[in-house]
Amino acid sequence: MKPQLLSMLPLAAVLAWPAVRAAEATPAPLAQAAQADDEAEAPARAAPRRAATRAFRPSLKYGVDDVLLEAGHFPRAPKADGSTTLRASPYALWQPAREWEFRVGARLDAVSQHGGSASYDEVRGDIADTYVRYRRGDTRLTVGAQTIVWGRVDGTPVIDRVSRVDLSRFALDDLPERRRAQLALRWEQTLGDYKLDAVVLPAFRGARLPDVDSVWSPVDRERGRIIGVAPSPGLEALVGAARIREGDRGSGGAALRLSKSGGAVDFGLTLAHTRQTLPYYQVDLAEPSLTAIYPYNRFAGVDAEFATGAYTWRIELGHTSDVPVTLAGGERRSARAIEGVVGVEFFPGGDDTRVTLQLAARSVRTGQTILELKEYYGVNGEVESMLAQGRWKLGMRFFSGLNEHDLYLAPKVSWLGWEPLEIYAVARHFDGGSRTLAGFHRDHDMFAIGLSTRF
Amino acid sequence: MGLECGSGLSLLRATLAAALLATGWPAPVLADEAADLAQAVHARPAGRDLTTVSLMELTDKGRAPRQRELVAYRLNKGRGEAVNLIRFLDPADIAGIGLLSLDKADEASEQWLYLPELDRVRRIAGDRKGGRFVGSDLNYEDLQERKPSRDRHRLIGKEPVGGVDCDLLESTPVEASNSVYLKRISWVDRATAMVMRVDYFEKDLATPSKRWLLLSRKKHGEYWTVMDSRVTDLATGHETRMTVQSVLYDRKLPAKLFTPQALADESIEAEYRP
C-alpha cells in the first residue's frame, strides 16, 4: 500500500482511507453537480444509454513490481560494514476470457555484503505468483504459486497461516514484501456478505532465508546464536561447529477461513492444520547439526474489524497447538500457544498524519523450562506524516517489548515527488534482551538510502 | 427522506430564528431563500447511477505535474443512502487500489479500502475530514456529501462567473466541529442550481484559503455534469485540476458491484468500465 494515498497508509495507506464520496472524485460542489437526487427511490430518470457491462476484451498486462535498490552501512556489525540490495519482480498477466486468468512472475534478488568478516555476493531467482485462475459467478479457483496473506492487523497477523515468510531482510520491509509465493490450491466462494476461503498446500516450502553469512540470518555462527533462543556456552559451541541443513519437505497442510464483510463489524473464523514456514532448528549433538524443521500446527482463530468515530480497530486472537519449544538440554517438545493482537488506526488531529498501533501478546503454555520466551507482550506500529502535498513523507516504524527489553526504531524520510519513485533515507536501530528479536540484531544498526518503485 | 429533509430545513430555520432573537443580530438577508437555494443545489437530479473516468492533475509551481487516473461508480440506493466505488488506474504505484463507501441516511459512512499488494480489504474510519486526498488540494471533507442542514446559509450578493450570473451563498457550519472550514462562499447559477465557484475559509473568516472553480460543464440528457474544474491553494499556488474524461448515467449498475467482494476483485469491476 502506498502511504501517500493512505497518509494513511496508504497508502495507504493508505491509505484510514478517505471517505471518498464524489463519484467523479471532485470537491463538494462538484459532487453536488453530478450527485444523484438522494430522495429518489432509484428511479430511471433517463433511459439506459447502454448495457451496464461491456463486451469482454482480452487483456495482457505486464510490468515489474517491487523494485528496490538500497545501500546500507552497519556502523558496528562485526560481519560487515555495508550491504547493497537489488530486487525486482517482473510479471505478466493474461486474461483471454472472462473466466480465465493466467499469471507468470519471478522474483530476482541480488545482495552484496562487504567490509567485514562475512563478505559475500549472491544472486538468486525465485518463482513469484504464477497461477491459473478460473472464476465464474461467486466462485474463484486458483491453482499455482500464490502469495496468500490472511490477516487484519499490520505487522504480524496472527491468522496469517498459509503464507510463506521471507526472512531475507528480517523485518525491514512492509508485510507484502516479507511474503513469498508458494504452491497452493485455493477455492474462494462468496455467499452474500460471507466469503469462504479454502487453501491446500500440496508442496511445502520453508521460509526464504538469507545466506547464513548474512547479518540478517537467524543463525549467527560467529557468535554461536539462534534467534529467539537463550544463549549458552553449549549452544555457542554447537552453532559454531554444526552443519545447518533443511528438513523434510512434503505437503504444507490445509486451512479454511470464513469471513463476513459489509455490516457494522467485519469478522472471520480461521481453522488451519498447516506447517509454519518459520524454521525450528532441531539439534543433533552427535553429528553435530542444526536441521530446520517445520512441524504441523493446529490453529483456531477469530478476528474482527470495526470503526468507532475516527478510529479503526482490528483484533485477532488465535490458539495454536504443537508449537515446538526447546528444553534446556536441547530436546524438542510441543506446547500450546495463545496469541492475540489488538490494533488501532487513527489520524491525530484529522490531518495528514497516520498512526497505527498494535498491542501484541503471546503466551506459550508449558510447565517445563524452555529456552524460548514463554510470555511476550509488545507494542508495534507506524507513524507517517505527509508534507508538501504528499511530496515528502516522514515515517517511523517501531516495535517494543513490554515485559522484555526489545526495541526496534526505524525513522525514515522519503521523497515521493517523482512518481512512481520513492527515494528514501532510513536509520534502523536494534536493542534488546538476549532472547528477543531486536536483541539478536543489536549489532546491526543500519543507515541506508534507497529507492523503490514499480513499472 | 422528504420528511427528513423537510424536518431538517424546519430545524435549520428555527435554529436561525432562535439565534437571531438571542443575539439581536440583524436578520440575515433572505435566509429562507438561501436555504432553499442550498437545498436546490443539493437535490439537483443526477440519476440513479453514475460512472465516470477522471484524470486528476496536481501542479506545483516549477515542478512537473503528477497525475492520477481513476474510475468511479455511484449508486443512489434511495432513502438517503448511496454507495460509491472508486478504483485508481494510474500511476503504477497506486493502480488497483480501490475504495468502497456506503453513505447512510444519517450521514454516517462505512468504508473499505482494497490494497492489491496484500490482496486485502481493510475497513477504514469514515469520520475523517481533514488531511489531503492523495496529495491534492482536496480535504477528505470535500469528497463527502454535505447536507444543507449542517450549515447556516445566507445570500450575500450577486456576481457573475465566466459570464454566468450567480448568487453568492455563504454557508457556515451549524456545529464548528463537523467541518474543517469556518465557512464557504459559493457562486451558484440559479438557473441550473450548479455551483460555479467556491471560496473556502479554513483559518480566517476574511481570507479564503483555497478556491474551487468550474472550468467546463456539459449536459448529459437531463443531468448537468462538471467536466473540468480546478482547486487552487491560494497561499502556495498549488493546483489540483480534475478532468472528467467519460460520463455515463443510469446504466443500471447492479448492487453487487458495490460490495467488498467486487472491491477485492478488480476483474468484476473492470467489466463496468466505460
Side-chain angles (χ1 to χ4, degrees):
Chain A
M1 166 81 196
K2 289 299 164 183
Q4 58 266 42
L5 280 181
L6 298 180
S7 156
M8 90 179 177
L9 147 221
L11 355 343
V14 82
L15 81 196
W17 191 248
V20 176
R21 152 180 315 272
E24 55 285 88
T26 49
L30 289 73
Q32 294 167 15
Q35 190 175 69
D37 175 2
D38 63 10
E39 296 184 36
E41 290 289 342
R45 290 177 179 272
R49 292 157 189 254
R50 51 176 293 172
T53 54
R54 67 182 190 198
F56 178 80
R57 291 196 292 259
S59 64
L60 174 64
K61 288 168 59 178
Y62 51 86
V64 184
D65 275 344
D66 184 28
V67 177
L68 176 76
L69 175 61
E70 182 180 286
H73 170 62
F74 302 104
R76 56 194 179 104
K79 280 186 171 181
D81 292 337
S83 72
T84 305
T85 301
L86 174 64
R87 73 170 183 235
S89 297
Y91 74 94
L93 181 66
W94 178 42
Q95 191 172 4
R98 196 184 300 272
E99 293 83 6
W100 292 96
E101 185 176 307
F102 300 84
R103 190 187 196 279
V104 292
R107 165 77 180 256
L108 309 171
D109 293 87
V111 177
S112 175
Q113 182 174 295
H114 47 79
S117 60
S119 297
Y120 75 99
D121 297 317
E122 182 184 48
V123 178
R124 289 171 71 169
D126 195 3
I127 191 169
D129 281 37
T130 299
Y131 56 72
V132 178
R133 175 169 288 164
Y134 173 80
R135 62 165 61 80
R136 189 179 184 89
D138 293 328
T139 303
R140 196 163 80 163
L141 301 170
T142 310
V143 179
Q146 306 167 61
T147 308
I148 304 169
V149 187
W150 287 347
R152 296 189 184 277
V153 302
D154 297 319
T156 52
V158 171
I159 61 174
D160 174 25
R161 310 304 292 189
V162 292
S163 70
R164 181 180 176 227
V165 175
D166 182 350
L167 282 178
S168 57
R169 278 166 51 85
F170 182 52
L172 307 186
D173 299 314
D174 291 336
L175 183 60
E177 285 78 47
R178 287 188 275 125
R179 294 295 182 266
R180 294 281 184 120
Q182 69 172 335
L183 185 62
L185 313 175
R186 188 179 192 188
W187 169 36
E188 296 167 271
Q189 183 70 48
T190 299
L191 307 159
D193 289 342
Y194 290 85
K195 180 183 175 184
L196 186 67
D197 197 347
V199 175
V200 176
L201 305 170
F204 177 79
R205 295 182 73 193
R208 164 72 165 83
L209 298 175
D211 187 282
V212 72
D213 285 330
S214 168
V215 297
W216 306 119
S217 171
V219 178
D220 186 337
R221 303 190 68 132
E222 292 189 1
R223 291 188 299 161
R225 299 274 310 276
I226 299 176
I227 195 166
V229 178
S232 67
L235 183 68
E236 187 175 333
L238 171 70
V239 173
R243 289 181 55 202
I244 298 174
R245 59 188 186 191
E246 279 289 302
D248 59 336
R249 292 185 176 272
S251 69
L256 190 66
R257 176 165 166 74
L258 179 67
S259 58
K260 180 180 183 296
S261 299
V265 178
D266 299 339
F267 62 87
L269 304 170
T270 303
L271 297 173
H273 182 233
T274 53
R275 301 164 72 184
Q276 295 308 286
T277 62
L278 289 175
Y280 172 84
Y281 287 98
Q282 183 162 276
V283 176
D284 182 344
L285 294 172
E287 192 175 354
S289 68
L290 293 171
T291 303
I293 62 168
Y294 310 88
Y296 273 98
N297 293 156
R298 285 189 175 82
F299 174 84
V302 295
D303 54 273
E305 192 167 3
F306 55 92
T308 56
Y311 297 85
T312 305
W313 299 90
R314 302 184 177 100
I315 300 168
E316 298 182 17
L317 301 171
H319 175 275
T320 310
S321 60
D322 306 321
V323 175
V325 294
T326 314
L327 302 184
E331 304 92 341
R332 175 166 67 98
R333 291 289 184 273
S334 291
R336 296 183 297 120
I338 298 171
E339 296 165 281
V341 182
V342 177
V344 61
E345 178 180 65
F346 60 99
F347 296 81
D351 221 330
D352 289 324
T353 297
R354 168 184 171 263
V355 177
T356 57
L357 289 175
Q358 282 85 227
L359 180 65
R362 184 173 195 261
S363 174
V364 177
R365 317 297 285 183
T366 175
Q368 298 176 291
T369 301
I370 58 176
L371 295 181
E372 295 86 357
L373 285 172
K374 279 189 176 180
E375 307 276 340
Y376 181 86
Y377 307 98
V379 61
N380 62 73
E382 187 171 20
V383 180
E384 284 185 346
S385 193
M386 309 299 286
L387 305 171
Q389 237 89 19
R391 290 184 185 273
W392 289 94
K393 180 179 68 177
L394 301 179
M396 165 82 87
R397 289 182 59 196
F398 65 92
F399 64 73
S400 177
L402 298 178
N403 65 326
E404 294 281 337
H405 179 43
D406 184 26
L407 180 65
Y408 171 61
L409 297 172
K412 183 178 180 181
V413 57
S414 301
W415 165 253
L416 306 168
W418 298 327
E419 293 177 338
L421 273 180
E422 176 180 358
I423 300 168
Y424 63 85
V426 61
R428 296 168 179 135
H429 171 67
F430 302 88
D431 196 12
S434 59
R435 289 191 290 182
T436 65
L437 301 181
F440 182 81
H441 287 295
R442 62 187 306 169
D443 292 335
H444 300 154
D445 284 357
M446 183 183 194
F447 300 100
I449 56 172
L451 67 85
S452 64
T453 187
R454 62 180 52 199
F455 304 105
Chain B
M1 184 59 203
L3 277 175
E4 184 183 321
C5 276
S7 301
L9 285 173
S10 299
L11 179 62
L12 174 61
R13 289 165 187 160
T15 305
L16 285 171
L20 290 169
L21 287 173
T23 60
W25 287 355
V29 179
L30 299 172
D32 284 352
E33 190 182 348
D36 289 345
L37 183 59
Q39 179 62 24
V41 170
H42 179 73
R44 191 167 52 77
R48 170 193 177 273
D49 63 65
L50 172 65
T51 307
T52 60
V53 176
S54 304
L55 188 68
M56 179 187 284
E57 189 170 89
L58 316 179
T59 306
D60 212 349
K61 282 181 180 172
R63 300 184 190 277
R66 295 173 290 163
Q67 293 185 334
R68 288 102 170 79
E69 186 180 14
L70 53 102
V71 59
Y73 308 87
R74 177 183 172 85
L75 174 66
N76 178 23
K77 298 179 73 174
R79 297 189 180 87
E81 288 196 357
V83 280
N84 293 281
L85 176 67
I86 290 178
R87 179 93 59 194
F88 284 90
L89 307 177
D90 199 60
D93 60 335
I94 61 172
I97 291 174
L99 180 79
L100 173 68
S101 64
L102 167 61
D103 302 319
K104 298 182 174 178
D106 62 0
E107 300 196 359
S109 178
E110 291 179 354
Q111 299 184 348
W112 293 266
L113 178 73
Y114 174 67
L115 307 176
E117 289 178 344
L118 274 171
D119 190 23
R120 182 185 292 182
V121 172
R122 288 164 64 102
R123 181 183 285 265
I124 53 176
D127 275 11
R128 191 179 183 198
K129 300 191 183 305
R132 295 182 182 275
F133 174 65
V134 294
S136 72
D137 295 283
L138 310 178
N139 282 326
Y140 289 116
E141 178 181 337
D142 300 332
L143 303 169
Q144 297 170 344
E145 183 177 318
R146 186 171 178 86
K147 295 192 174 173
S149 58
R150 305 194 86 177
D151 296 302
R152 297 186 182 95
H153 307 280
R154 63 174 191 154
L155 291 167
I156 58 173
K158 293 180 180 293
E159 189 176 296
V161 175
V164 177
D165 291 333
C166 293
D167 290 293
L168 270 65
L169 180 68
E170 182 188 80
S171 304
T172 307
V174 174
E175 291 181 29
S177 61
N178 70 25
S179 177
V180 297
Y181 302 113
L182 301 174
K183 71 174 180 180
R184 304 183 310 278
I185 297 177
S186 304
W187 279 249
V188 181
D189 172 15
R190 190 179 285 270
T192 59
M194 289 194 78
V195 178
M196 307 294 288
R197 168 184 159 182
V198 184
D199 281 3
Y200 295 87
F201 298 77
E202 205 163 345
K203 296 175 182 171
D204 181 349
L205 280 169
T207 310
S209 53
K210 70 180 183 185
R211 176 169 297 150
W212 175 85
L213 187 64
L214 185 149
L215 300 176
S216 166
R217 60 179 173 170
K218 187 177 178 181
K219 198 169 188 181
H220 295 83
E222 62 182 289
Y223 309 125
W224 278 103
T225 309
V226 175
M227 301 301 292
D228 192 2
S229 62
R230 183 177 64 219
V231 182
T232 305
D233 183 319
L234 298 176
T236 65
H238 190 279
E239 290 184 352
T240 300
R241 186 163 180 172
M242 178 70 77
T243 308
V244 177
Q245 300 173 319
S246 179
V247 182
L248 293 170
Y249 285 98
D250 294 344
R251 303 169 63 203
K252 296 187 176 176
L253 293 175
K256 72 172 186 179
L257 177 62
F258 300 90
T259 60
Q261 288 73 29
L263 176 68
D265 192 339
E266 188 174 351
S267 68
I268 295 176
E269 173 270 304
E271 292 187 20
Y272 297 91
R273 289 179 192 167

